[in-house]
Coordinates of all heavy atoms in Angstrom, one line a residue:
M125 N -18.7 -22.8 13.2 CA -17.6 -22.7 12.4 C -17.2 -21.2 12.2 O -17.6 -20.6 11.3 CB -17.8 -23.2 11.0 CG -17.8 -24.8 11.0 SD -16.7 -25.2 9.7 CE -17.1 -26.7 9.3
A126 N -16.6 -20.6 13.2 CA -16.2 -19.2 13.1 C -14.8 -19.1 12.4 O -13.9 -20.0 12.3 CB -16.0 -18.7 14.5
N127 N -14.6 -17.9 11.8 CA -13.4 -17.7 11.1 C -12.3 -17.2 12.1 O -11.8 -16.0 12.0 CB -13.5 -16.6 10.1 CG -14.0 -17.1 8.7 OD1 -13.9 -18.4 8.5 ND2 -14.4 -16.3 7.9
E128 N -11.9 -18.0 13.1 CA -11.0 -17.5 14.1 C -9.8 -18.4 14.1 O -9.2 -18.6 15.2 CB -11.8 -17.6 15.5 CG -12.8 -16.5 15.6 CD -13.6 -16.6 16.9 OE1 -13.3 -17.5 17.7 OE2 -14.6 -15.9 17.0
E129 N -9.4 -18.9 13.0 CA -8.1 -19.7 13.0 C -6.9 -18.9 13.2 O -6.8 -17.8 12.6 CB -8.0 -20.4 11.6 CG -9.1 -21.4 11.3 CD -8.8 -22.0 10.0 OE1 -7.7 -22.3 9.5 OE2 -9.8 -22.3 9.3
K130 N -6.1 -19.3 14.2 CA -5.0 -18.5 14.6 C -4.0 -18.3 13.5 O -3.6 -19.3 12.9 CB -4.4 -19.0 15.9 CG -4.4 -18.0 17.0 CD -3.7 -18.6 18.2 CE -3.6 -17.5 19.2 NZ -3.1 -17.9 20.5
G131 N -3.4 -17.1 13.3 CA -2.5 -16.9 12.3 C -2.8 -17.0 10.9 O -2.1 -16.9 10.0
K132 N -4.2 -17.2 10.7 CA -4.7 -17.4 9.3 C -5.2 -16.0 8.7 O -6.2 -15.6 9.2 CB -5.8 -18.4 9.4 CG -6.2 -18.9 7.9 CD -5.3 -19.9 7.4 CE -5.9 -20.6 6.1 NZ -4.9 -21.3 5.4
K133 N -4.4 -15.3 8.0 CA -4.8 -14.0 7.6 C -5.1 -14.1 6.0 O -4.5 -14.9 5.3 CB -3.7 -12.9 7.7 CG -3.4 -12.7 9.2 CD -2.4 -11.5 9.2 CE -2.2 -11.1 10.8 NZ -1.2 -10.2 10.9
K134 N -5.8 -13.3 5.5 CA -6.2 -13.2 4.1 C -5.0 -12.6 3.4 O -4.5 -11.5 3.7 CB -7.4 -12.3 3.9 CG -7.9 -12.4 2.4 CD -9.3 -11.6 2.3 CE -9.0 -10.1 2.3 NZ -10.1 -9.4 1.9
V135 N -4.4 -13.2 2.5 CA -3.3 -12.8 1.6 C -3.9 -12.3 0.3 O -4.5 -13.0 -0.4 CB -2.3 -13.9 1.4 CG1 -1.1 -13.2 0.5 CG2 -1.7 -14.3 2.7
V136 N -3.5 -11.0 -0.1 CA -4.0 -10.5 -1.4 C -2.8 -10.0 -2.2 O -1.7 -9.7 -1.5 CB -5.1 -9.3 -1.2 CG1 -6.3 -9.9 -0.7 CG2 -4.5 -8.1 -0.4
T137 N -2.9 -10.0 -3.4 CA -1.8 -9.4 -4.2 C -2.2 -8.0 -4.6 O -3.2 -7.7 -5.2 CB -1.6 -10.4 -5.4 OG1 -1.3 -11.6 -4.9 CG2 -0.4 -9.7 -6.3
I138 N -1.2 -7.0 -4.4 CA -1.4 -5.6 -4.8 C -0.2 -5.4 -5.8 O 0.8 -6.0 -5.8 CB -1.5 -4.7 -3.7 CG1 -0.2 -4.7 -2.9 CG2 -2.6 -4.9 -2.8 CD1 0.0 -3.6 -1.8
I139 N -0.4 -4.4 -6.6 CA 0.6 -4.0 -7.6 C 1.0 -2.6 -7.3 O 0.3 -1.6 -7.2 CB 0.1 -3.9 -9.1 CG1 -0.8 -5.2 -9.4 CG2 1.1 -3.7 -10.1 CD1 0.1 -6.5 -9.4
I140 N 2.4 -2.4 -7.0 CA 2.9 -1.2 -6.9 C 4.0 -0.8 -8.0 O 4.9 -1.5 -8.0 CB 3.6 -1.1 -5.5 CG1 2.6 -1.4 -4.3 CG2 4.3 0.3 -5.2 CD1 3.3 -1.5 -2.9
D141 N 3.7 0.1 -8.7 CA 4.6 0.4 -9.8 C 4.9 -0.6 -10.7 O 6.1 -0.8 -11.1 CB 6.0 1.2 -9.3 CG 5.6 2.4 -8.6 OD1 4.7 3.1 -8.9 OD2 6.5 2.9 -7.7
G142 N 4.0 -1.5 -11.0 CA 4.1 -2.7 -11.9 C 4.6 -3.9 -11.3 O 4.7 -4.9 -11.9
T143 N 5.0 -3.8 -9.9 CA 5.6 -5.0 -9.2 C 4.5 -5.6 -8.3 O 3.9 -4.8 -7.5 CB 6.8 -4.7 -8.5 OG1 7.7 -4.0 -9.3 CG2 7.4 -5.8 -7.8
P144 N 4.3 -6.9 -8.4 CA 3.2 -7.5 -7.5 C 3.8 -7.7 -6.2 O 5.0 -8.1 -5.9 CB 2.8 -8.8 -8.2 CG 3.9 -9.1 -9.1 CD 4.6 -7.8 -9.4
Y145 N 3.0 -7.4 -5.1 CA 3.4 -7.8 -3.7 C 2.2 -8.5 -3.0 O 1.1 -8.1 -3.2 CB 3.7 -6.5 -2.9 CG 4.8 -5.6 -3.4 CD1 4.7 -4.7 -4.4 CD2 6.1 -5.8 -2.8 CE1 5.7 -3.9 -4.9 CE2 7.2 -5.0 -3.2 CZ 6.9 -4.2 -4.2 OH 8.0 -3.4 -4.6
K146 N 2.6 -9.5 -2.3 CA 1.6 -10.2 -1.5 C 1.6 -9.6 0.0 O 2.7 -9.5 0.5 CB 2.0 -11.7 -1.4 CG 1.7 -12.4 -2.8 CD 1.6 -14.0 -2.6 CE 1.4 -14.7 -3.9 NZ 0.2 -14.3 -4.6
V147 N 0.5 -9.2 0.4 CA 0.3 -8.6 1.7 C -0.7 -9.3 2.5 O -1.7 -9.8 1.9 CB 0.0 -7.2 1.6 CG1 1.2 -6.4 1.0 CG2 -1.2 -6.8 0.8
E148 N -0.7 -9.3 3.8 CA -1.6 -10.0 4.7 C -2.2 -8.8 5.5 O -2.0 -8.9 6.7 CB -0.9 -10.9 5.7 CG -0.4 -12.2 5.0 CD 0.2 -13.1 6.0 OE1 0.2 -12.8 7.2 OE2 0.7 -14.2 5.6
K149 N -2.9 -7.9 4.9 CA -3.5 -6.8 5.6 C -4.8 -6.4 5.0 O -5.1 -6.7 3.8 CB -2.5 -5.6 5.5 CG -1.3 -5.8 6.2 CD -0.5 -4.4 6.1 CE 0.6 -4.5 6.9 NZ 0.5 -4.1 8.3
D150 N -5.6 -5.9 5.9 CA -6.9 -5.4 5.3 C -6.8 -3.9 4.9 O -7.5 -3.5 4.0 CB -8.0 -5.4 6.5 CG -8.4 -6.9 6.9 OD1 -8.3 -7.8 6.0 OD2 -8.7 -7.2 8.0
D151 N -5.9 -3.2 5.5 CA -5.6 -1.9 5.1 C -4.0 -1.5 5.3 O -3.4 -2.3 6.0 CB -6.4 -0.8 5.8 CG -6.2 -0.9 7.3 OD1 -6.4 -1.9 7.9 OD2 -5.8 0.2 7.9
M152 N -3.6 -0.5 4.5 CA -2.2 -0.3 4.5 C -2.1 1.3 4.6 O -2.8 2.0 4.1 CB -1.5 -0.7 3.3 CG -1.3 -2.2 3.3 SD -0.3 -2.8 1.9 CE 1.3 -2.4 2.5
T153 N -1.0 1.7 5.3 CA -0.8 3.1 5.5 C 0.1 3.6 4.4 O 0.8 2.9 3.7 CB 0.0 3.3 6.8 OG1 1.2 2.8 6.8 CG2 -0.8 2.8 8.0
Y154 N 0.2 5.0 4.2 CA 1.0 5.6 3.4 C 2.5 5.2 3.6 O 3.1 4.8 2.5 CB 0.9 7.2 3.6 CG 1.9 8.1 2.9 CD1 1.6 8.5 1.6 CD2 3.1 8.4 3.5 CE1 2.5 9.4 1.0 CE2 4.0 9.3 2.8 CZ 3.8 9.7 1.6 OH 4.7 10.5 0.9
V155 N 2.9 5.2 4.8 CA 4.3 4.8 5.0 C 4.6 3.3 4.6 O 5.7 3.0 4.0 CB 4.7 4.9 6.6 CG1 6.0 4.2 6.8 CG2 4.6 6.4 6.9
E156 N 3.7 2.4 4.9 CA 3.9 1.0 4.4 C 3.9 0.9 2.8 O 4.8 0.1 2.4 CB 2.8 0.1 4.9 CG 2.7 -0.1 6.5 CD 1.5 -0.8 7.0 OE1 0.4 -0.5 6.4 OE2 1.6 -1.5 8.0
L157 N 3.0 1.6 2.1 CA 3.1 1.6 0.7 C 4.4 2.1 0.2 O 5.0 1.5 -0.7 CB 1.9 2.1 0.1 CG 0.6 1.4 0.4 CD1 -0.7 2.2 0.3 CD2 0.5 0.2 -0.5
V158 N 4.8 3.3 0.6 CA 6.0 4.0 0.2 C 7.2 3.2 0.5 O 8.2 2.9 -0.4 CB 6.1 5.5 0.7 CG1 7.5 6.0 0.4 CG2 5.0 6.3 0.2
T159 N 7.3 2.4 1.6 CA 8.4 1.7 2.0 C 8.5 0.4 1.0 O 9.6 0.0 0.8 CB 8.4 1.2 3.4 OG1 8.3 2.4 4.4 CG2 9.5 0.4 3.9
L160 N 7.4 -0.1 0.6 CA 7.5 -1.3 -0.2 C 8.1 -0.7 -1.6 O 8.9 -1.5 -2.2 CB 6.1 -1.9 -0.5 CG 5.6 -2.8 0.5 CD1 4.1 -3.2 0.2 CD2 6.4 -4.1 0.6
A161 N 7.7 0.4 -2.0 CA 8.0 1.0 -3.3 C 9.5 1.4 -3.3 O 10.4 1.3 -4.2 CB 7.2 2.2 -3.8
D162 N 10.0 2.0 -2.1 CA 11.3 2.5 -1.9 C 11.7 2.1 -0.5 O 11.5 2.8 0.5 CB 11.3 4.0 -2.0 CG 12.7 4.6 -1.7 OD1 13.6 3.9 -1.6 OD2 12.8 5.8 -1.8
P163 N 12.5 1.0 -0.3 CA 12.9 0.4 0.8 C 13.8 1.4 1.7 O 14.0 1.3 2.9 CB 13.6 -0.9 0.6 CG 13.1 -1.3 -0.7 CD 12.8 0.0 -1.4
E164 N 14.4 2.4 1.0 CA 15.2 3.4 1.7 C 14.4 4.5 2.3 O 15.0 5.3 3.2 CB 16.1 4.0 0.7 CG 17.1 3.2 0.0 CD 18.2 2.6 1.0 OE1 18.7 3.4 1.8 OE2 18.3 1.5 1.1
Y165 N 13.0 4.5 2.1 CA 12.3 5.7 2.6 C 12.3 5.8 4.1 O 12.5 7.0 4.5 CB 10.8 5.4 2.3 CG 9.9 6.4 2.8 CD1 9.8 7.7 2.5 CD2 8.9 6.0 3.8 CE1 9.0 8.7 3.0 CE2 8.1 6.9 4.5 CZ 8.1 8.3 4.0 OH 7.2 9.2 4.6
P166 N 12.3 4.8 5.0 CA 12.5 5.0 6.4 C 13.7 5.8 6.9 O 13.7 6.5 7.9 CB 12.4 3.6 7.0 CG 11.8 2.8 6.0 CD 12.1 3.4 4.7
Q167 N 14.7 5.7 6.1 CA 16.0 6.4 6.4 C 16.0 7.8 5.8 O 16.8 8.7 6.1 CB 17.2 5.7 5.9 CG 17.6 4.4 6.5 CD 16.8 3.3 6.2 OE1 16.4 3.1 5.0 NE2 16.4 2.4 7.1
H168 N 14.9 8.1 5.0 CA 14.9 9.5 4.4 C 13.5 10.0 4.4 O 12.8 10.3 3.5 CB 15.3 9.4 2.9 CG 16.7 8.9 2.7 ND1 17.8 9.7 3.0 CD2 17.2 7.7 2.4 CE1 18.9 8.9 2.8 NE2 18.6 7.7 2.5
P169 N 12.9 10.2 5.7 CA 11.5 10.6 5.8 C 11.2 12.0 5.3 O 10.1 12.4 5.1 CB 11.2 10.4 7.3 CG 12.5 10.5 7.9 CD 13.4 10.0 6.9
E170 N 12.3 12.7 5.0 CA 12.1 14.1 4.4 C 11.6 14.0 2.9 O 11.1 15.1 2.5 CB 13.3 14.9 4.6 CG 14.5 14.6 3.7 CD 15.4 13.4 4.0 OE1 15.0 12.8 5.2 OE2 16.1 13.0 3.3
T171 N 11.9 13.0 2.3 CA 11.4 12.9 0.9 C 9.9 12.6 0.9 O 9.4 11.8 1.7 CB 12.1 11.7 0.2 OG1 13.6 11.9 0.3 CG2 11.8 11.6 -1.2
T172 N 9.2 13.3 0.0 CA 7.7 13.0 -0.1 C 7.4 12.3 -1.3 O 8.1 12.4 -2.4 CB 7.0 14.5 0.0 OG1 7.5 15.3 -1.0 CG2 7.2 15.1 1.3
Y173 N 6.3 11.6 -1.3 CA 5.9 10.9 -2.4 C 4.4 11.0 -2.7 O 3.6 11.3 -1.8 CB 6.1 9.4 -2.1 CG 7.4 8.9 -2.1 CD1 8.2 9.1 -0.9 CD2 8.0 8.2 -3.1 CE1 9.6 8.8 -0.9 CE2 9.3 7.8 -3.1 CZ 10.1 8.0 -2.0 OH 11.4 7.7 -2.0
S174 N 4.1 10.9 -4.0 CA 2.7 10.9 -4.4 C 2.3 9.5 -4.6 O 2.9 8.7 -5.2 CB 2.6 11.6 -5.8 OG 1.2 11.4 -6.3
V175 N 1.1 9.1 -3.8 CA 0.7 7.7 -3.9 C -0.8 7.8 -4.4 O -1.8 8.4 -3.7 CB 0.6 7.3 -2.4 CG1 0.1 5.7 -2.5 CG2 2.1 7.1 -1.8
T176 N -1.1 7.2 -5.5 CA -2.4 7.2 -6.1 C -2.7 5.6 -6.3 O -1.9 4.8 -6.3 CB -2.4 7.9 -7.5 OG1 -1.5 7.3 -8.4 CG2 -2.2 9.3 -7.3
Y177 N -4.1 5.4 -6.3 CA -4.4 4.0 -6.4 C -5.7 4.0 -7.4 O -6.4 4.8 -7.6 CB -4.7 3.3 -5.2 CG -5.8 4.0 -4.3 CD1 -7.1 3.6 -4.4 CD2 -5.5 5.0 -3.3 CE1 -8.1 4.2 -3.7 CE2 -6.5 5.6 -2.6 CZ -7.9 5.1 -2.8 OH -8.9 5.8 -2.1
K178 N -5.9 2.7 -7.9 CA -7.1 2.3 -8.6 C -7.4 1.0 -8.3 O -6.7 0.2 -7.8 CB -6.9 2.7 -10.1 CG -5.8 2.0 -10.8 CD -5.7 2.5 -12.2 CE -4.5 1.9 -12.8 NZ -4.2 2.4 -14.1
R179 N -8.7 0.6 -8.7 CA -9.3 -0.8 -8.4 C -9.3 -1.0 -6.9 O -9.2 -2.1 -6.4 CB -8.3 -1.9 -8.9 CG -8.2 -1.9 -10.5 CD -7.6 -3.2 -11.0 NE -7.2 -3.0 -12.4 CZ -6.4 -3.8 -13.0 NH1 -5.8 -4.8 -12.3 NH2 -6.1 -3.6 -14.2
G180 N -9.8 0.1 -6.2 CA -9.9 0.0 -4.8 C -11.3 -0.5 -4.4 O -12.2 -0.9 -5.3
Q181 N -11.6 -0.4 -3.2 CA -12.9 -0.7 -2.6 C -14.2 -0.1 -3.4 O -14.0 1.1 -3.9 CB -13.0 -0.5 -1.1 CG -12.1 -1.3 -0.3 CD -12.4 -2.9 -0.2 OE1 -13.6 -3.3 -0.6 NE2 -11.5 -3.6 0.2
G182 N -15.3 -0.6 -3.3 CA -16.5 -0.1 -3.9 C -16.8 1.3 -4.0 O -16.9 2.0 -5.0
N183 N -16.8 2.0 -2.8 CA -17.2 3.4 -2.7 C -16.1 4.3 -2.9 O -16.4 5.5 -3.1 CB -17.9 3.6 -1.3 CG -16.8 3.5 -0.2 OD1 -15.9 2.8 -0.3 ND2 -17.1 4.1 1.0
K184 N -14.9 3.8 -3.0 CA -13.7 4.7 -3.3 C -12.7 3.9 -4.2 O -11.7 3.6 -3.8 CB -13.1 5.2 -2.1 CG -12.2 6.4 -2.4 CD -12.0 7.4 -1.2 CE -11.3 8.5 -1.6 NZ -10.4 9.0 -0.6
P185 N -13.2 3.6 -5.5 CA -12.3 2.8 -6.4 C -11.0 3.4 -6.8 O -10.0 2.7 -7.2 CB -13.2 2.4 -7.5 CG -14.2 3.7 -7.6 CD -14.3 4.0 -6.2
E186 N -10.9 4.7 -6.7 CA -9.6 5.3 -7.0 C -9.4 6.6 -6.2 O -10.4 7.2 -5.7 CB -9.4 5.6 -8.5 CG -10.4 6.3 -9.2 CD -10.2 6.4 -10.7 OE1 -10.2 5.3 -11.3 OE2 -10.1 7.6 -11.2
G187 N -8.1 6.9 -6.0 CA -7.9 8.1 -5.2 C -6.4 8.4 -4.9 O -5.5 7.8 -5.5
T188 N -6.2 9.3 -4.0 CA -4.8 9.7 -3.7 C -4.6 9.4 -2.1 O -5.6 9.8 -1.3 CB -4.6 11.1 -3.9 OG1 -4.8 11.4 -5.3 CG2 -3.2 11.6 -3.6
L189 N -3.5 8.8 -1.8 CA -3.3 8.6 -0.3 C -2.3 9.7 0.1 O -1.1 9.7 -0.4 CB -2.8 7.2 -0.2 CG -2.6 6.7 1.2 CD1 -3.9 6.7 2.0 CD2 -2.0 5.2 1.2
S190 N -2.6 10.3 1.2 CA -1.8 11.3 1.7 C -0.9 10.9 2.9 O -1.4 9.9 3.6 CB -2.5 12.6 2.2 OG -3.4 13.0 1.2
P191 N 0.2 11.6 3.1 CA 0.9 11.1 4.4 C 0.1 11.1 5.7 O -0.8 12.0 5.8 CB 2.0 12.2 4.5 CG 2.2 12.7 3.2 CD 0.8 12.6 2.5
G192 N 0.2 10.0 6.5 CA -0.7 9.8 7.6 C -1.9 9.2 7.3 O -2.6 8.8 8.3
G193 N -2.3 8.9 6.0 CA -3.4 8.2 5.7 C -3.3 6.8 5.4 O -2.1 6.2 5.6
S194 N -4.4 6.0 5.3 CA -4.4 4.7 5.0 C -5.6 4.3 4.1 O -6.5 5.2 3.9 CB -4.6 3.8 6.3 OG -5.9 4.1 6.9
V195 N -5.6 3.1 3.5 CA -6.5 2.7 2.5 C -6.9 1.2 2.7 O -6.0 0.4 3.0 CB -6.1 3.1 1.1 CG1 -4.9 2.3 0.6 CG2 -7.3 2.9 0.1
K196 N -8.1 0.9 2.5 CA -8.5 -0.5 2.5 C -7.9 -1.3 1.3 O -8.0 -0.8 0.2 CB -10.0 -0.7 2.6 CG -10.6 -0.3 3.9 CD -11.9 -1.1 4.1 CE -12.4 -1.1 5.6 NZ -11.6 -1.8 6.6
I197 N -7.3 -2.5 1.6 CA -6.7 -3.2 0.5 C -7.6 -4.2 -0.2 O -8.4 -4.7 0.6 CB -5.4 -3.9 1.1 CG1 -4.3 -2.9 1.6 CG2 -4.8 -4.8 0.0 CD1 -3.8 -2.0 0.5
K198 N -7.5 -4.4 -1.4 CA -8.3 -5.3 -2.1 C -7.4 -6.1 -3.1 O -6.5 -5.5 -3.7 CB -9.5 -4.5 -2.9 CG -10.4 -5.3 -3.7 CD -11.5 -4.4 -4.2 CE -11.8 -4.8 -5.7 NZ -12.7 -3.9 -6.4
E199 N -7.7 -7.3 -3.4 CA -7.1 -8.1 -4.4 C -7.0 -7.3 -5.8 O -8.0 -7.0 -6.2 CB -7.7 -9.5 -4.7 CG -7.2 -10.4 -5.6 CD -5.7 -10.8 -5.4 OE1 -5.6 -11.2 -4.1 OE2 -5.0 -11.0 -6.1
G200 N -5.7 -7.3 -6.3 CA -5.6 -6.7 -7.6 C -5.5 -5.1 -7.6 O -5.4 -4.6 -8.6
M201 N -5.5 -4.5 -6.5 CA -5.4 -3.1 -6.3 C -4.1 -2.6 -6.9 O -3.1 -3.2 -6.8 CB -5.5 -2.6 -4.8 CG -6.2 -1.3 -4.6 SD -6.6 -1.2 -2.9 CE -6.9 0.5 -2.9
V202 N -4.1 -1.5 -7.7 CA -2.9 -1.0 -8.3 C -2.5 0.4 -7.6 O -3.4 1.3 -7.6 CB -3.2 -0.8 -9.7 CG1 -2.0 -0.1 -10.5 CG2 -3.6 -2.1 -10.3
F203 N -1.3 0.5 -7.2 CA -0.7 1.7 -6.7 C 0.4 2.3 -7.6 O 1.2 1.6 -8.1 CB -0.2 1.5 -5.3 CG -1.2 1.1 -4.3 CD1 -1.5 -0.2 -4.2 CD2 -1.8 2.0 -3.5 CE1 -2.5 -0.6 -3.2 CE2 -2.7 1.7 -2.6 CZ -3.1 0.3 -2.5
N204 N 0.5 3.7 -7.6 CA 1.6 4.3 -8.3 C 2.2 5.2 -7.2 O 1.4 6.0 -6.7 CB 1.1 5.2 -9.5 CG 0.7 4.3 -10.6 OD1 1.4 3.5 -11.1 ND2 -0.5 4.5 -11.1
V205 N 3.5 4.9 -6.9 CA 4.2 5.7 -5.9 C 5.4 6.4 -6.7 O 6.2 5.8 -7.3 CB 4.8 4.7 -4.9 CG1 5.5 5.5 -3.8 CG2 3.5 4.0 -4.3
S206 N 5.3 7.9 -6.6 CA 6.3 8.5 -7.3 C 6.9 9.7 -6.4 O 6.2 10.3 -5.6 CB 5.9 9.1 -8.6 OG 4.7 9.8 -8.4
R207 N 8.2 9.8 -6.4 CA 8.8 10.8 -5.5 C 8.5 12.2 -6.0 O 8.5 12.5 -7.2 CB 10.3 10.6 -5.8 CG 11.2 11.4 -4.7 CD 12.7 11.3 -5.0 NE 13.0 9.8 -4.8 CZ 14.1 9.5 -4.1 NH1 15.0 10.3 -3.7 NH2 14.3 8.2 -4.0
T208 N 8.1 13.0 -5.1 CA 7.6 14.4 -5.4 C 8.5 15.5 -4.9 O 8.5 16.6 -5.4 CB 6.2 14.7 -5.0 OG1 6.1 14.5 -3.6 CG2 5.2 13.8 -5.7
G209 N 9.3 15.2 -3.8 CA 10.2 16.2 -3.1 C 11.4 15.6 -2.7 O 11.5 14.5 -2.3
Q210 N 12.6 16.3 -3.0 CA 13.9 15.8 -2.5 C 14.6 17.1 -1.9 O 14.3 18.2 -2.3 CB 14.7 15.3 -3.6 CG 13.9 14.9 -4.9 CD 14.7 14.3 -6.0 OE1 15.9 13.9 -5.7 NE2 14.1 14.1 -7.1
S211 N 15.6 16.7 -1.0 CA 16.3 17.8 -0.5 C 17.6 18.1 -1.1 O 18.0 17.3 -2.0 CB 16.6 17.6 1.0 OG 17.0 16.3 1.2

């Protein structure tokens, strides 16, 4: 009985700026998280954001996610995404 059911991914709920999102991922990138928080972000990549999280995985329960980075996702994880730079 292997866990190899096709198309069966683990769905977890994460919170971004107080809004719950259901995601089917083991980890998420800075770009994916910022795009959930601000759907206009892909059209304005010059805008920078601060991404912090808490309730993360055991060895790194909280931290900051930098552009180009990614983080392992866990049920109930909380993210704060705020704009830090604008042109």
Side-chain angles (χ1 to χ4, degrees):
M125 284 233 200
N127 274 349
E128 294 174 3
E129 293 180 40
K130 238 182 174 177
K132 192 84 167 162
K133 292 183 180 177
K134 183 174 82 172
V135 177
V136 296
T137 301
I138 60 172
I139 311 295
I140 301 175
D141 297 331
T143 303
Y145 293 88
K146 290 198 179 297
V147 295
E148 292 184 357
K149 294 185 169 272
D150 290 328
D151 60 303
M152 290 187 75
T153 65
Y154 170 91
V155 170
E156 290 171 324
L157 288 160
V158 172
T159 301
L160 280 176
D162 178 5
E164 296 293 312
Y165 174 70
Q167 287 80 39
H168 303 283
E170 72 282 356
T171 304
T172 56
Y173 289 81
S174 167
V175 179
T176 59
Y177 63 89
K178 56 187 177 183
R179 296 192 193 162
Q181 295 289 349
N183 65 339
K184 197 152 187 220
E186 53 187 60
T188 302
L189 189 58
S190 303
S194 66
V195 65
K196 285 206 169 294
I197 297 298
K198 178 179 144 186
E199 177 67 37
M201 210 165 168
V202 177
F203 294 88
N204 288 305
V205 178
S206 54
R207 188 182 298 222
T208 58
Q210 340 181 17
S211 50

